[in-house]
Amino acid sequence: MPAVVATWPFGQTAVRAAMPLLRQGRPALDVALAGAQAIEDDPTVHSVGYGGVGNSIGTVSLDACVMDGRTLNCGGVAAVENIRHVAALAKRVMERTPHVLLVGEGARLFAVQQGFALDTLLTPESVAEWYKTRPKANPNPRDQGHDTVTVLVLDQKGSLGGVCTTSGLAHKLPGRVGDSPLIGSGLYVDDTAGAAGATGVGEEIIRINGSFFVVEQMRAGRTPQEACEAAVRRLNSLAVRRGVHPARVAFLALDVKGRVGAAATSRTNFQYAVSKGNKVELVQARELDAEGK
Ligand code: ASP
């Protein structure tokens, strides 16, 4: 049963953009990329691509990665400025270089060499949003707005692919890189186990290698739902150990049977979009608090 899932309510736009390609029998990664790109192009989404809210000095700095579940081929770019389609750029890193991750100026140079246009990513609305959300005192970008789009696809041939793309935490320090471009943290895809993506406070996701954790739970026999819940429990117990409140984090997973799972820490209010035949549904994910309830 082919399927597309994507994080957050704007994921509905991603799923809608991806579905025609899925029906055409295109490979999972191409389908996922089309979905992610629709969000990168959407100026009303202030956490991804064009129209993303800037870092602490107002610069839009993007992170993205892609992974092919058939081969475990993957690519990522981090802290990239002036390039709108960073997910496609991550795919180029995968296809055209011997590397997995390019960052900053090197990634931008590679983009230009590959024919990507240099773009201004700020919009009047995203600048206004930056001023509105600018921390007044004790700046803690971890509390600021975020929301990455991760698109996971099971294609007609039964293979998985995933794409993750974001402008990261708003008001982050220049040079800060979150989980989203890091294979294993923001995204992990392996046809022999499943696909998973993460969203929320990247520092906490990196700490447990979140998406890899979810995929390995599926490899061990858990359903996508059980696997996501296991990752949230891990974050919750870690927060107790560290004496902090669990950060807002959510996981989304899809396996080769087309089963979908999602879970989040409390107060995350995580919703995701999922294809159902020709329709797109928005689903509220289960939240687990520090007691595991
Ligand atoms: N995970 C992203 C980051 O930390 C932000 C988000 O998904 O909300 O950069």
Side-chain angles (χ1 to χ4, degrees), residues 5-16 39 149 272-274 280 282:
V5 294
T7 52
W8 302 110
F10 55 62
Q12 295 173 99
T13 306
V15 173
R16 267 188 216 106
I39 309 300
V149 68
Y272 61 95
V274 52
V280 184
L282 192 62

Side-chain angles (χ1 to χ4, degrees), residues 59-290:
T59 304
V60 183
S61 170
L62 303 179
D63 298 336
C65 73
V66 304
M67 190 164 190
D68 186 334
R70 294 173 297 190
T71 53
L72 272 62
N73 278 345
C74 51
V77 291
V80 187
E81 295 171 17
N82 304 117
I83 305 292
R84 183 193 287 222
H85 293 146
V86 278
L89 184 60
K91 189 160 176 272
R92 287 290 172 92
V93 172
M94 176 184 101
E95 290 167 344
R96 309 258 171 103
T97 80
H99 309 306
V100 166
L101 183 61
L102 294 183
V103 306
E105 200 47 37
R108 184 161 64 165
L109 186 61
F110 175 68
V112 171
Q113 286 165 348
Q114 291 291 314
F116 285 71
L118 288 173
D119 224 337
T120 300
L121 302 176
L122 292 169
T123 62
E125 292 75 23
S126 73
V127 172
E129 181 74 12
W130 184 86
Y131 276 107
K132 205 172 87 191
T133 56
R134 192 162 46 142
K136 305 265 175 327
N138 301 322
N140 180 4
R142 292 157 53 105
D143 297 332
Q144 296 296 319
H146 38 83
D147 289 352
T148 295
V149 68
T150 297
V151 188
L152 306 175
V153 174
L154 173 65
D155 66 22
Q156 284 188 15
K157 293 205 169 117
S159 285
L160 294 163
V163 173
C164 182
T165 177
T166 190
S167 52
L169 299 186
H171 306 280
K172 62 191 175 185
L173 284 179
R176 179 267 188 187
V177 171
D179 60 302
S180 307
L182 304 180
I183 297 298
S185 288
L187 180 74
Y188 200 76
V189 186
D190 181 346
D191 277 5
T192 64
T199 178
V201 179
E203 283 72 9
E204 304 308 317
I205 299 163
I206 292 171
R207 214 184 297 292
I208 66 158
N209 228 324
S211 294
F212 182 70
F213 181 96
V214 172
V215 169
E216 291 308 298
Q217 297 296 312
M218 291 191 276
R219 193 189 300 284
R222 298 213 157 90
T223 64
Q225 182 60 34
E226 291 165 351
C228 290
E229 290 182 14
V232 172
R233 276 199 199 90
R234 172 66 65 95
L235 278 182
N236 282 338
S237 59
L238 199 53
V240 171
R241 237 169 86 191
R242 291 161 56 81
V244 295
H245 283 297
R248 289 180 195 175
V249 170
F251 296 101
L252 180 62
L254 174 68
D255 71 6
V256 283
K257 292 182 182 155
R259 296 181 299 182
V260 179
T265 54
S266 59
R267 298 175 300 116
T268 301
N269 191 22
F270 176 60
Q271 294 174 305
Y272 61 95
V274 52
S275 62
K276 281 273 151 66
N278 286 335
K279 297 221 170 65
V280 184
E281 274 178 20
L282 192 62
V283 182
Q284 183 81 34
R286 181 166 180 221
E287 291 191 355
L288 298 174
D289 64 20

